[in-house]
Amino acid sequence: MTDIAIGLGVVMLAVTVLLAVISATGLRPNGLSFEAHVPAHLIEGLRAAPDALAPGAEFDGDVSVRMPASTAAQTALSVLTPVSGLLFVLAGAVILRRALRAAMREGPFTLTVATRLRYVGYLAIFGGLAHALIVAVTDALLLRSVLPDEHVAFSWSFTFPAPEIVIGFGMLAVSEIIRHGVRLREDVEGTI
């Protein structure tokens, strides 16, 4: 199952990067389409201003701006979010795969399995925070690329990755439980 997940993740990553490269190198004349999310408090008054958006950009809904033909920099920024997310997921899947193989080979209650689960926990916590930061920065830079300077200096919003943090701490807890079980088993075997 993990092999299938890793394979699908690699294919998705390759397709995303390939589309970005094709768009950025000009092989596709019109760049990839992307959306920049404009905070609602910046929307008021922008619709009436004739120079509110960069040339070629148009309002699409209340708080998103669609850019049908992006530049190479905009394409790179818009691809960074899914690529970083896929990389973190792939790294976690590879570590979990190694933990499962170690559990099948040596048994589930070993220090190897506990260590690999600890790595998954740290990856979930710090990877989730890093990905949320990447999303916040790329969204802010994309917003800045579609709005002229006089309308926005710099605006960003950070979404705290609560599910990833909870999963990470859960993995760390399971890792500690396994470590404790290994120590208890060693103590019992030592007294017999």
Side-chain angles (χ1 to χ4, degrees):
M1 189 79 139
T2 57
D3 290 340
I4 293 171
I6 291 170
L8 286 174
V10 169
V11 168
M12 289 172 42
L13 182 65
V15 168
T16 303
V17 170
L18 180 66
L19 285 174
V21 168
I22 287 171
S23 178
T25 57
L27 295 175
R28 182 171 178 248
N30 296 332
L32 292 175
S33 176
F34 77 93
E35 283 191 6
H37 300 285
V38 181
H41 69 277
L42 295 175
I43 292 291
E44 295 177 23
L46 285 180
R47 290 185 191 267
D51 63 338
L53 298 176
E58 58 191 33
F59 281 104
D60 184 23
D62 289 335
V63 292
S64 64
V65 176
R66 188 173 55 83
M67 190 72 154
S70 60
T71 65
Q74 290 169 329
T75 299
L77 284 172
S78 66
V79 169
L80 186 59
T81 296
V83 166
S84 70
L86 280 171
L87 286 175
F88 287 122
V89 168
L90 282 174
V94 167
I95 296 169
L96 273 177
R97 179 177 179 242
R98 293 182 71 200
L100 287 172
R101 287 194 174 185
M104 296 297 206
R105 189 176 52 249
E106 304 167 16
F109 299 105
T110 63
L111 290 178
T112 303
V113 172
T115 301
R116 297 220 168 106
L117 290 178
R118 179 182 283 180
Y119 292 159
V120 171
Y122 287 140
L123 180 68
I125 292 168
F126 296 114
L129 288 169
H131 181 66
L133 185 62
I134 288 169
V135 169
V137 170
T138 56
D139 282 351
L141 292 173
L142 284 171
L143 172 63
R144 186 148 172 77
S145 75
V146 297
L147 293 177
D149 290 339
E150 63 268 9
H151 290 290
V152 61
F154 191 77
S155 177
W156 80 324
S157 63
F158 180 81
T159 303
F160 187 75
E164 291 87 348
I165 301 293
V166 170
I167 289 170
F169 280 119
M171 287 300 215
L172 291 175
V174 169
S175 171
E176 283 306 309
I177 291 169
I178 291 174
R179 278 186 192 284
H180 186 68
V182 169
R183 283 191 293 263
L184 287 176
R185 185 177 64 198
E186 289 173 353
D187 289 345
V188 168
E189 288 173 359
T191 58
I192 292 178

